[in-house]
Amino acid sequence: MISKVLIANRGEIALRIHRACKEMGIATVAVHSEADRDAMHVRLADESVCIGPASATDSYLSIPAIIAACEITHADAVHPGYGFLSENARFADIVEAHGMVFIGPTAEHIKLMGDKIAAKEAVSAAGIPVVPGSPGGVENYAEAKEVAKDVGFPLLVKASAGGGGRGMRLARTADDLEESLNAASQEALAAFGDGTVYLERYLERPRHIEVQVIADTHGNVVHLGERDCSLQRRNQKILEEAPSPALNAAQRDEIGEIVRKAIASIGYRGVGTIEFLYENGEFFFIEMNTRLQVEHPVTEMITGIDLVREQIRIAAGEELGFTQEEIVFSGHSLECRINAEHPRTFTPSPGTIKEFHAPGGMNVRLDSALYAGYTIPPHYDSLIGKLIVHGKTREGALLRLRRALGEIVITGIDTTIPLFIDLLDNQDFLNGDYDIHWLERWLEEQD
Ligand code: ADP
């Protein structure tokens, strides 16, 4: 039994978790930095604890501060959300060592999948197709040249500890290889404290398609279909949709089944996302995220399954309430990431929200922690909300999105809303005809 959850996060995701808890009759504890005293997640939670100054390192990333907050409030479980400590195996271990439930996978699985080289080996052994590349880490230029002979150019140098698109460098030809190797390794060492890099064939025009899985501790594993997250800028997702416009039902079942079997074979628990690049009808694994994703609502909209509720039930040792055969994919869903950023330059735009009006109506969902008069602090990620719509068809969902974007009002700061309004005038986007580089090409054309 879980009766009180401490939410180790902030912003829209803290609210999202709070909502699931309340609907399950579970009490919530918010933690916050000094900069977040007036935040919506603090206002709505049953209790709140200040865990440190504005700097995330000293608050949302401080394991001692969060554990102390758990002890003071007698929380019996911790939900890490996404980002911050959500993929920190040590945190998961420490939470459990203190006799609390970590709402997520085991520390071992977090650790395994956080090491991209080990993750690739593990999923490949479990039958998931991976991007061709170096068999493990690449120590030096001489080794990289050997790999290049087998795999060919272009090659992508990637950091084993990488995340958020950092520690990645492209080598188009042999001439770039040494420099890309050094640059990626140095960036990875600075960002993650680990300079280990590996090589992958660089796919020129792939889509980013990821499969959502959910597994309980009784051996039941179900896949919840895919999300298409190909609209990206600097390897960061901007808009996501489910199902992917590029797949048909047979392809969905095929990749879903491969993933489901693989995840069952490694004994995973909780929700997880297996990310692929998809090109010319082939899937290539790039990484697994062992947490709830920002874009999870599009899956919820087409399956009717509340992923946070399921996470909590699984953490409490309950069985999944559904089988694979009972999952019905219904209609189409799109999500726009509303960032406090200029819609063209993407310069962060923290500040005070003057007016705020949320769009409404049938099948429109706004996951956000905004309110009029709220001051967005400059210290954290610029995501301030997610607009999610559902329609019977992709066309219907696009029309609904256009309608909802026309209703939403956020003044006082810049947001990415105008970008989405412009995108809805583009025929390639409307046709679902885009790859991971499409948005950057489109943005350049606009200049
Ligand atoms: P991170 O953990 O930093 O997000 P990923 O491995 O998930 O790194 O890759 C992030 C993005 O980088 C992908 O969505 C894709 O756009 C691009 N990318 C990664 N690997 C490749 C590859 N082999 N070829 C082409 N693009 C890639």
Side-chain angles (χ1 to χ4, degrees), residues 120-350:
K120 218 172 149 177
E121 272 170 23
V123 303
S124 175
I128 291 182
V130 300
V131 190
S134 54
V138 177
E139 295 279 341
N140 51 44
Y141 180 46
E143 266 186 39
K145 277 197 293 191
E146 285 305 307
V147 175
K149 270 191 210 152
D150 286 347
V151 184
F153 285 96
L155 275 174
L156 193 61
V157 186
K158 296 176 74 171
S160 188
R166 279 179 303 174
M168 245 187 263
R169 286 289 186 286
L170 176 60
R172 282 241 159 246
T173 65
D175 296 341
D176 311 334
L177 188 57
E178 190 167 17
E179 203 186 315
S180 297
L181 200 67
N182 293 337
S185 179
Q186 276 162 21
E187 188 174 305
L189 188 64
F192 313 110
D194 175 3
T196 312
V197 292
Y198 61 108
L199 300 180
E200 263 181 9
R201 192 170 94 206
Y202 178 73
L203 304 177
E204 296 282 357
R205 297 226 159 167
R207 299 182 78 110
H208 173 120
I209 297 180
E210 55 186 37
V211 177
Q212 176 74 58
V213 287
I214 183 159
D216 65 18
T217 50
H218 304 272
N220 301 303
V221 186
V222 168
H223 80 81
L224 297 175
E226 81 286 4
R227 296 181 285 260
D228 196 316
C229 313
S230 304
L231 278 184
Q232 301 183 356
R233 179 181 169 268
R234 298 197 178 159
N235 300 322
Q236 301 278 349
K237 298 162 187 168
I238 298 276
L239 178 147
E240 302 94 350
E241 58 181 309
S244 167
L247 297 191
N248 60 35
Q251 291 169 306
R252 171 167 314 112
D253 289 349
E254 192 185 337
I255 191 66
E257 208 41 38
I258 289 172
V259 166
R260 203 178 69 76
K261 287 203 182 110
I263 292 305
S265 79
I266 64 168
Y268 188 80
R269 79 161 191 226
V271 305
T273 300
I274 294 74
E275 297 193 332
F276 293 98
L277 294 178
Y278 175 79
E279 196 174 62
N280 301 327
E282 275 186 275
F283 285 95
F284 301 97
F285 169 87
I286 45 172
E287 68 165 338
M288 175 166 183
N289 290 324
T290 52
R291 56 170 165 82
L292 190 67
Q293 304 263 118
V294 174
E295 60 274 21
H296 75 277
V298 293
T299 299
E300 297 185 324
M301 300 296 264
I302 64 160
T303 59
I305 288 166
D306 179 334
L307 284 169
V308 179
R309 182 186 179 91
E310 292 303 324
Q311 280 191 296
I312 297 170
R313 291 183 60 252
I314 290 165
E318 291 175 35
E319 274 198 65
L320 278 184
F322 43 83
T323 62
Q324 189 66 56
E325 292 66 40
E326 283 165 352
I327 303 296
V328 180
F329 300 109
S330 158
H332 199 96
S333 180
L334 294 139
E335 173 186 275
C336 296
R337 294 194 186 198
I338 303 173
N339 291 342
E341 288 171 358
H342 187 276
R344 281 292 178 272
T345 62
F346 299 92
T347 312
S349 175

